[in-house]
Amino acid sequence: MSAHNFLPRRLAASATISGLVAAPLALVAATGGAAYAAPSVEVNIVAVNDFHGRINSNTAKWASTVAAVSADTTTPANTLMVGAGDLIGASEFASSVQDDQPTIDVLNAVGLDASAVGNHEFDKGWADLRDRVIGPGAPGDASRNADWAYLASNVTLKANGETALPPYWTFTLDSGTPGDTSDDLTVGVVGGVTDETPSLVSPAGVADLAFSEEVAAAGKYADALKDGNPANGEADIVVASFHSGAEVGAGSSFEAEVAKGGAFSRMAAMTGSVDAILNGHTHQTYAWTGAKPGGGTRAYLQTGEYAANVGQVKLTVDVGAAGGPAVTGVGAANIKRAESADLSNPTVKSVDDIVKAALAKAGEIGNQPVGRQSADITRAYNGVDASGKPAEDRGAESALGDLVANALRDGVPAEVAAPDLGIVNPGGLRADLLYAGSPATNPADTDGVITYAEANNVLPFVNNVWTVDLTGAQLKKVLEQQWQPAGSQRSYLHLGLSDNVEVTQDLSRPAGSRITSVRVDDKWLQDSKVYKVSTFSFLATGGDNFTAFKDGAAKDTGLVDRDVWLKYLQQSQAQPIAPDFALQQVRTENLPDKLTAGAQMKVKLADLDMSSVGAVRNTSVDVVRIRDGKRKIMKSVKMNNVGRVRVKFTVPAADSIELVAQPSGTTVTRKVTRTKPALKAFRVFPKVVKVNKTKPRLRVFVKADNKGKVAGKVRIKVDGRKYFTTLTKVQGKPKSRAKIRLKALRKTGMHTIEVRYAGNDKYKAVKETYKIRVRRR
């Protein structure tokens, strides 16, 4: 393990930043002692995670906060800026239109020293990250593009087992004694990325890489940095930066998140060689301190997302401690982005110039109108995040997801393919389509206008559109994989489906059998029939753990998702698109895949209300009979609970029934089957039937299995003659009957009488045969 060491780059900082509100950072003693041994120095760590190419009017404000936090220390020269991944990828248009180069330039300008690599750094594949984003050479080389150390201790090359990126990087900090380097500090930063990365990016792009469990890998290098062996690198202080973290920040606690198990719990238990832990990936906001194995305290910090905050960890280090420098105080905080930018700071001014140039270039294309909308069309939301903004819910259906699925189905030219349906993963949607315009910055962007940039922000990944031929059984397996494998950071990912698909789920069933029905184009899914699915290359290659896609025959259409999406939106110039709040997937209980006419049903429907912005709230559910192509509402049930209802009804005589939530129009369809009633013919009068003389009388009884009354016609056939009669109900008894007098039979011997009930919409036809003896006298 070779050592990497260089001096941190310093960010020019003003003493005060206009609009910045930062609470004092409280220090927690890392040991039981009440006082620090002298001499002591302060290591100031400035943190960023999940920046996601936010090049906009807030970027210079964020840079101003970085400057202020960098200067907020007793030893400004001992400041390190460290990232926790996803700095690029899933970016806003101003960055993505230039392949995130503006973001790289901004992070270079503010002096980012090192960062764990995130899964989104691999969006365009390993080769693009290695050769273009990072570029050749080491940090500080003129040929370098991203002039910071991208780290990943748990990512190796399959070809030789070596780490694909540096597992750690070390930095020399001044202890504060001018001209004396004997007591300088070495800080090591170890990086790791979630081991779920191969399922979060296009698998083809990382086919040459192996991803191991991130905490164990980082712990191995952290221990090596403190093992006293200079041959494998040494550091006085070790910071671990992980692109993974706690599931919940605001509203939870360090102890609560540790108790959940998973990656964060493993971090809390990882080697005491690590003095501070930075997190990303889960987009949560927290600044916690907790005990570390072997004694002492360390910080756990994540800044949220999109440059809303700047993280800060302060470590007080006793340089003269016996056995070497030791951390004696720990503090952690998130500082909200400044309200305004301090352009008097040369670094902030440089960032502002980069941003303005990027916005101007993006505006040449991005400001152009490409479509129109009549209302907000958004992702699903549930509650609010730490900043008070609505929190995205990838486990729920959204109006935007279903709309994009429609675009994938309809936007592929006929000469290329004819998809049966479109499927979208929720993580592929990165911005909403909002009705309100921004005419102040773009005169063409009035209310209801969709600009190129706004459309691009929805799908920033630039995936190719693939078609995958799946059998009905394989398609059902894809839908079952919405329930993610055990240990995944999200237990359920709700796929967006085009509006010609109807799916029902039953969560009371075991995993692998929760999809209870699928309809495509108003026809029931057939296990052996092949369906052509249009989707992103990310999903088609098994991304987000939807590995069943790989069971089908896939084909790259050569089309880019952005172009298909834009072409689809351009059709809305004449007729604005509106959000559709009807669900394509509905959760049910006690609803068989087929219903029997006359059966008594008590069906539960849940989560009927979509959680996209502006979604209607359902107030009732109609039970609709469909017979011979005609629809009739049999009853309407009011909803007393939000999104949940219990519907009681008797299955009508019909071809099918629909349960329709109003006013959204969410529909559940079931085929109605008919049962065979019991049929019995007996009592032929008189008992002795004489040839050519006796006209037998016959009684027929028809009884339904469910004790219902049977209506319809009966046919009797004997000796080539046919007789017809109609059933009548037997008063007080659960059966119907018919009486008929036959003509005299012409031959002696045994005769076969065939009795057939013709059936109706409720009951199937049924027939029985009986023998009758004819005598001469």
Side-chain angles (χ1 to χ4, degrees):
M1 180 172 64
S2 59
H4 311 274
N5 184 277
F6 71 106
L7 296 174
R9 296 168 296 144
R10 291 282 53 79
L11 173 72
S14 302
T16 59
I17 301 296
S18 175
L20 175 64
V21 179
L25 187 63
L27 287 173
V28 178
T31 65
Y36 305 144
S40 64
V41 298
E42 192 170 71
V43 176
N44 188 35
I45 300 166
V46 181
V48 58
N49 61 269
D50 297 281
F51 187 84
H52 285 295
R54 260 41 188 186
I55 300 300
N56 53 41
S57 59
N58 289 320
T59 310
K61 300 174 187 176
W62 171 79
S64 297
T65 312
V66 171
V69 175
S70 297
D72 179 29
T73 175
T74 58
T75 50
N78 287 351
T79 293
L80 281 174
M81 187 175 183
V82 181
D86 277 8
L87 307 179
I88 61 172
S91 304
E92 289 187 345
F93 182 72
S95 185
S96 67
V97 75
Q98 295 189 65
D99 290 328
D100 279 318
Q101 190 59 48
T103 294
I104 296 169
D105 294 340
V106 163
L107 295 172
N108 282 338
V110 298
L112 181 65
D113 292 301
S115 178
V117 71
N119 55 283
H120 279 285
E121 269 81 3
F122 293 99
D123 279 347
K124 296 181 184 294
W126 159 233
D128 178 74
L129 173 62
R130 178 192 63 213
D131 301 334
R132 181 188 66 82
V133 174
I134 299 174
D141 290 355
S143 59
R144 183 85 166 186
N145 189 19
D147 198 19
W148 62 87
Y150 255 134
L151 310 174
S153 60
N154 64 319
V155 182
T156 56
L157 299 170
K158 290 180 179 178
N160 55 24
E162 295 180 358
T163 52
L165 294 165
Y168 70 93
W169 207 271
T170 58
F171 302 85
T172 300
L173 303 183
D174 190 346
S175 66
T177 305
D180 183 3
T181 61
S182 62
D183 55 359
D184 284 350
L185 285 174
T186 300
V187 177
V189 180
V190 182
V193 61
T194 173
D195 59 5
E196 295 180 15
T197 296
S199 70
L200 301 174
V201 300
S202 179
V206 293
D208 296 334
L209 304 178
F211 293 77
S212 63
E213 197 281 318
E214 62 269 30
V215 179
K220 179 184 70 173
Y221 287 102
D223 283 339
L225 285 170
K226 288 191 175 181
D227 67 358
N229 180 7
N232 59 15
E234 287 300 294
D236 302 308
I237 303 298
V238 175
V239 176
S241 179
F242 291 107
H243 191 66
S244 59
E247 294 180 8
V248 181
S252 189
S253 65
F254 173 75
E255 293 76 13
E257 294 304 301
V258 170
K260 293 178 180 178
F264 189 74
S265 180
R266 294 194 295 274
M267 291 175 203
M270 76 179 300
T271 174
S273 297
V274 174
D275 299 296
I277 294 177
L278 306 180
N279 288 159
H281 187 52
T282 57
H283 291 221
Q284 299 298 310
T285 306
Y286 51 84
W288 296 323
T289 55
K292 70 175 181 177
T297 303
R298 66 183 167 205
Y300 300 80
L301 181 138
Q302 188 173 180
T303 70
E305 62 184 5
Y306 308 147
N309 300 294
V310 174
Q312 183 179 33
V313 173
K314 285 185 179 181
L315 302 176
T316 301
V317 181
D318 180 357
V319 178
V327 175
T328 56
V330 177
N334 278 301
I335 294 88
K336 186 178 179 181
R337 182 180 61 223
E339 296 293 333
S340 60
D342 177 19
L343 299 182
S344 66
N345 182 302
T347 300
V348 176
K349 179 62 167 63
S350 175
V351 168
D352 189 57
D353 291 342
I354 295 169
V355 170
K356 286 179 178 176
L359 292 173
K361 188 172 182 63
E364 296 172 5
I365 300 174
N367 286 344
Q368 299 175 17
V370 296
R372 296 190 61 82
Q373 63 189 104
S374 62
D376 291 340
I377 307 174
T378 78
R379 295 162 289 175
Y381 289 95
N382 183 18
V384 296
D385 60 19
S387 64
K389 296 180 180 179
E392 182 188 356
D393 183 2
R394 296 185 186 179
E397 188 166 344
S398 74
L400 183 62
D402 292 345
L403 179 68
V404 174
N406 287 347
L408 291 176
R409 177 197 61 194
D410 300 338
V412 177
E415 63 270 19
V416 176
D420 294 301
L421 66 153
I423 298 183
V424 172
N425 61 301
L429 310 173
R430 288 298 169 143
D432 300 321
L433 289 179
L434 300 178
Y435 177 79
S438 302
T441 56
N442 177 12
D445 187 18
T446 55
D447 288 353
V449 168
I450 304 171
T451 67
Y452 188 109
E454 290 167 340
N456 183 82
N457 287 341
V458 173
L459 301 178
F461 299 120
V462 197
N463 279 277
N464 274 22
V465 175
W466 286 26
T467 59
V468 185
D469 290 342
L470 297 172
T471 65
Q474 291 167 340
L475 177 55
K476 190 174 181 181
K477 185 177 178 182
V478 167
L479 295 170
E480 292 284 0
Q481 288 179 338
Q482 293 176 113
W483 288 271
Q484 294 280 286
S488 300
Q489 293 206 4
R490 290 183 173 91
S491 60
Y492 177 83
L493 290 174
H494 195 103
L495 293 172
L497 303 176
S498 51
D499 59 12
N500 63 324
V501 183
E502 178 189 313
V503 177
T504 56
Q505 306 176 353
D506 188 342
L507 271 63
S508 67
R509 298 190 179 192
S513 62
R514 290 169 177 159
I515 299 299
T516 53
S517 71
V518 183
R519 284 165 59 86
V520 179
D521 289 327
D522 296 325
K523 296 179 180 179
W524 301 101
L525 193 75
Q526 299 178 37
D527 283 350
S528 59
K529 181 179 177 180
V530 175
Y531 299 84
K532 191 174 293 294
V533 178
S534 179
T535 190
F536 304 136
S537 55
F538 168 79
L539 272 182
T541 53
D544 270 347
N545 296 308
F546 288 97
T547 56
F549 272 110
K550 296 194 291 185
D551 296 337
K555 180 181 179 181
D556 187 346
T557 66
L559 302 169
V560 175
D561 58 4
R562 176 187 59 203
D563 297 337
V564 170
W565 174 230
L566 289 170
K567 183 179 178 181
Y568 179 81
L569 292 176
Q570 286 169 349
Q571 301 172 9
S572 67
Q573 292 280 21
Q575 181 64 41
I577 54 174
D580 184 354
F581 299 124
L583 299 175
Q584 308 310 128
Q585 300 193 65
V586 181
R587 292 182 172 173
T588 69
E589 283 187 35
N590 305 324
L591 182 62
D593 55 357
K594 293 181 181 179
L595 303 182
T596 301
Q600 302 297 313
M601 303 302 303
K602 295 180 181 179
V603 179
K604 293 180 181 179
L605 305 178
D607 300 329
L608 285 173
D609 294 341
M610 192 177 284
S611 58
S612 292
V613 173
V616 296
R617 293 291 171 259
N618 290 294
T619 58
S620 63
V621 171
D622 294 337
V623 180
V624 181
R625 181 192 72 190
I626 301 175
R627 187 165 63 194
D628 298 328
K630 297 179 181 180
R631 303 176 80 255
K632 180 180 179 181
I633 298 176
M634 305 302 295
K635 68 182 297 186
S636 185
V637 179
K638 289 185 178 180
M639 295 178 61
N640 296 321
N641 297 316
V642 176
R644 299 180 64 86
V645 67
R646 179 177 294 180
V647 184
K648 298 180 181 180
F649 63 97
T650 301
V651 180
D655 300 318
S656 60
I657 66 104
E658 291 178 348
L659 303 178
V660 184
Q662 300 292 359
S664 71
T666 293
T667 301
V668 173
T669 307
R670 284 293 184 268
K671 184 178 180 180
V672 176
T673 62
R674 296 175 293 173
T675 59
K676 281 187 176 182
L679 182 150
K680 186 176 182 180
F682 62 101
R683 291 190 183 180
V684 178
F685 296 96
K687 292 182 178 180
V688 177
V689 178
K690 296 181 180 180
V691 67
N692 288 325
K693 292 184 178 181
T694 306
K695 296 181 178 181
R697 289 177 293 163
L698 184 67
R699 287 185 180 180
V700 178
F701 289 89
V702 182
K703 181 178 179 181
D705 290 341
N706 59 10
K707 299 183 180 181
K709 299 290 185 178
V710 181
K713 295 184 179 298
V714 174
R715 185 195 71 185
I716 292 92
K717 184 178 178 182
V718 59
D719 288 351
R721 290 175 176 168
K722 296 179 182 179
Y723 305 84
F724 296 91
T725 187
T726 301
L727 290 169
T728 59
K729 297 176 181 178
V730 179
Q731 190 69 29
K733 295 184 178 181
K735 59 185 176 180
S736 301
R737 69 182 176 186
K739 297 179 181 179
I740 191 169
R741 182 181 290 272
L742 308 180
K743 291 184 178 181
L745 301 179
R746 300 170 183 173
K747 296 181 179 179
T748 59
M750 298 298 296
H751 292 251
T752 299
I753 299 177
E754 180 186 278
V755 181
R756 182 180 186 274
Y757 166 61
N760 61 14
D761 288 334
K762 195 171 183 179
Y763 300 104
K764 292 183 179 180
V766 60
K767 70 178 181 179
E768 296 286 351
T769 57
Y770 303 90
K771 300 291 185 180
I772 186 172
R773 182 181 296 277
V774 180
R775 298 177 179 175
R776 191 170 296 277
R777 56 186 178 87

